[in-house]
mmCIF file of all heavy atoms in Angstrom:
data_model
loop_
_atom_site.group_PDB
_atom_site.id
_atom_site.type_symbol
_atom_site.label_atom_id
_atom_site.label_comp_id
_atom_site.label_asym_id
_atom_site.label_seq_id
_atom_site.Cartn_x
_atom_site.Cartn_y
_atom_site.Cartn_z
ATOM 1 N N GLU P 65 3.831 6.140 -24.660
ATOM 2 C CA GLU P 65 3.063 5.019 -24.116
ATOM 3 C C GLU P 65 1.937 5.614 -23.258
ATOM 4 O O GLU P 65 2.088 6.727 -22.731
ATOM 5 C CB GLU P 65 4.002 4.146 -23.262
ATOM 6 C CG GLU P 65 3.355 3.035 -22.459
ATOM 7 C CD GLU P 65 2.698 1.968 -23.320
ATOM 8 O OE1 GLU P 65 1.672 2.279 -23.962
ATOM 9 O OE2 GLU P 65 3.200 0.835 -23.330
ATOM 10 N N THR P 67 -0.119 6.474 -20.022
ATOM 11 C CA THR P 67 0.311 6.788 -18.640
ATOM 12 C C THR P 67 1.794 7.144 -18.525
ATOM 13 O O THR P 67 2.404 6.937 -17.499
ATOM 14 C CB THR P 67 0.004 5.658 -17.616
ATOM 15 O OG1 THR P 67 0.966 4.610 -17.765
ATOM 16 C CG2 THR P 67 -1.392 5.102 -17.747
ATOM 17 N N ARG P 176 -1.430 0.845 -13.145
ATOM 18 C CA ARG P 176 -2.393 -0.222 -13.421
ATOM 19 C C ARG P 176 -3.836 0.188 -13.145
ATOM 20 O O ARG P 176 -4.746 -0.353 -13.751
ATOM 21 C CB ARG P 176 -2.003 -1.473 -12.644
ATOM 22 C CG ARG P 176 -0.744 -2.095 -13.219
ATOM 23 C CD ARG P 176 -0.218 -3.243 -12.407
ATOM 24 N NE ARG P 176 0.924 -3.871 -13.070
ATOM 25 C CZ ARG P 176 2.176 -3.441 -12.979
ATOM 26 N NH1 ARG P 176 2.454 -2.369 -12.247
ATOM 27 N NH2 ARG P 176 3.153 -4.039 -13.620
ATOM 28 N N HIS P 216 4.864 7.596 -34.770
ATOM 29 C CA HIS P 216 6.305 7.461 -34.587
ATOM 30 C C HIS P 216 6.799 6.023 -34.722
ATOM 31 O O HIS P 216 7.999 5.787 -34.732
ATOM 32 C CB HIS P 216 6.723 8.015 -33.214
ATOM 33 C CG HIS P 216 6.674 9.513 -33.140
ATOM 34 N ND1 HIS P 216 7.319 10.325 -34.044
ATOM 35 C CD2 HIS P 216 6.056 10.351 -32.269
ATOM 36 C CE1 HIS P 216 7.109 11.598 -33.735
ATOM 37 N NE2 HIS P 216 6.338 11.641 -32.668
ATOM 38 N N THR P 217 5.890 5.058 -34.800
ATOM 39 C CA THR P 217 6.361 3.686 -35.017
ATOM 40 C C THR P 217 6.649 3.429 -36.501
ATOM 41 O O THR P 217 7.322 2.470 -36.847
ATOM 42 C CB THR P 217 5.358 2.615 -34.516
ATOM 43 O OG1 THR P 217 4.196 2.645 -35.343
ATOM 44 C CG2 THR P 217 4.968 2.850 -33.075
ATOM 45 N N ARG P 285 4.391 -1.754 -2.828
ATOM 46 C CA ARG P 285 5.060 -3.061 -2.875
ATOM 47 C C ARG P 285 6.192 -3.089 -1.848
ATOM 48 O O ARG P 285 5.984 -2.790 -0.690
ATOM 49 C CB ARG P 285 5.583 -3.323 -4.288
ATOM 50 C CG ARG P 285 4.500 -3.506 -5.323
ATOM 51 C CD ARG P 285 5.052 -4.299 -6.484
ATOM 52 N NE ARG P 285 4.058 -4.544 -7.483
ATOM 53 C CZ ARG P 285 3.734 -3.698 -8.453
ATOM 54 N NH1 ARG P 285 4.337 -2.537 -8.532
ATOM 55 N NH2 ARG P 285 2.816 -4.006 -9.329
ATOM 56 N N ARG P 330 15.978 4.037 -3.881
ATOM 57 C CA ARG P 330 15.750 3.248 -5.089
ATOM 58 C C ARG P 330 15.682 4.187 -6.298
ATOM 59 O O ARG P 330 16.208 3.893 -7.358
ATOM 60 C CB ARG P 330 14.443 2.461 -4.946
ATOM 61 C CG ARG P 330 13.933 1.759 -6.191
ATOM 62 C CD ARG P 330 14.819 0.619 -6.586
ATOM 63 N NE ARG P 330 14.105 -0.359 -7.407
ATOM 64 C CZ ARG P 330 14.718 -1.245 -8.178
ATOM 65 N NH1 ARG P 330 16.043 -1.274 -8.219
ATOM 66 N NH2 ARG P 330 14.024 -2.099 -8.878
ATOM 67 N N LYS R 28 11.859 1.249 -37.423
ATOM 68 C CA LYS R 28 10.485 1.693 -37.689
ATOM 69 C C LYS R 28 9.776 0.640 -38.528
ATOM 70 O O LYS R 28 10.420 -0.066 -39.323
ATOM 71 C CB LYS R 28 10.488 3.040 -38.428
ATOM 72 C CG LYS R 28 11.124 4.189 -37.647
ATOM 73 C CD LYS R 28 10.348 4.557 -36.398
ATOM 74 C CE LYS R 28 11.078 5.617 -35.578
ATOM 75 N NZ LYS R 28 10.538 5.716 -34.196
ATOM 76 N N ARG R 67 8.966 3.025 -23.818
ATOM 77 C CA ARG R 67 7.878 2.875 -22.855
ATOM 78 C C ARG R 67 8.375 3.303 -21.483
ATOM 79 O O ARG R 67 9.486 2.979 -21.090
ATOM 80 C CB ARG R 67 7.405 1.421 -22.785
ATOM 81 C CG ARG R 67 6.921 0.867 -24.103
ATOM 82 C CD ARG R 67 6.504 -0.603 -23.952
ATOM 83 N NE ARG R 67 5.299 -0.727 -23.158
ATOM 84 C CZ ARG R 67 5.143 -1.592 -22.159
ATOM 85 N NH1 ARG R 67 6.122 -2.408 -21.828
ATOM 86 N NH2 ARG R 67 4.011 -1.632 -21.482
ATOM 87 N N SER R 74 8.669 0.627 -10.176
ATOM 88 C CA SER R 74 7.486 0.031 -9.569
ATOM 89 C C SER R 74 6.489 -0.479 -10.605
ATOM 90 O O SER R 74 5.763 -1.431 -10.346
ATOM 91 C CB SER R 74 6.819 1.064 -8.656
ATOM 92 O OG SER R 74 5.693 0.527 -8.036
ATOM 93 N N TYR R 134 -3.248 -11.175 -9.076
ATOM 94 C CA TYR R 134 -2.083 -10.303 -9.024
ATOM 95 C C TYR R 134 -2.000 -9.537 -7.710
ATOM 96 O O TYR R 134 -1.020 -9.625 -6.976
ATOM 97 C CB TYR R 134 -2.138 -9.367 -10.238
ATOM 98 C CG TYR R 134 -1.301 -8.142 -10.102
ATOM 99 C CD1 TYR R 134 0.080 -8.233 -9.928
ATOM 100 C CD2 TYR R 134 -1.873 -6.881 -10.136
ATOM 101 C CE1 TYR R 134 0.850 -7.112 -9.792
ATOM 102 C CE2 TYR R 134 -1.105 -5.760 -10.006
ATOM 103 C CZ TYR R 134 0.255 -5.869 -9.832
ATOM 104 O OH TYR R 134 0.998 -4.759 -9.691
ATOM 105 N N GLU R 157 3.171 -10.367 -5.420
ATOM 106 C CA GLU R 157 2.714 -9.051 -5.867
ATOM 107 C C GLU R 157 3.899 -8.154 -6.195
ATOM 108 O O GLU R 157 3.756 -7.122 -6.823
ATOM 109 C CB GLU R 157 1.846 -8.373 -4.802
ATOM 110 C CG GLU R 157 0.495 -9.030 -4.588
ATOM 111 C CD GLU R 157 0.550 -10.143 -3.568
ATOM 112 O OE1 GLU R 157 1.598 -10.820 -3.454
ATOM 113 O OE2 GLU R 157 -0.455 -10.354 -2.880
ATOM 114 N N LEU R 160 6.651 -7.095 -11.249
ATOM 115 C CA LEU R 160 6.288 -5.844 -11.929
ATOM 116 C C LEU R 160 5.758 -6.083 -13.333
ATOM 117 O O LEU R 160 5.454 -5.140 -14.042
ATOM 118 C CB LEU R 160 7.520 -4.934 -12.019
ATOM 119 C CG LEU R 160 8.312 -4.691 -10.743
ATOM 120 C CD1 LEU R 160 9.504 -3.787 -11.037
ATOM 121 C CD2 LEU R 160 7.425 -4.057 -9.687
#
Side-chain angles (χ1 to χ4, degrees):
Chain P
E65 172 64 291
T67 77
R176 290 174 175 84
H216 287 307
T217 68
R285 293 203 178 84
R330 170 69 157 161
Chain R
K28 298 294 175 196
R67 301 178 69 227
S74 181
Y134 161 61
E157 291 88 328
L160 310 179

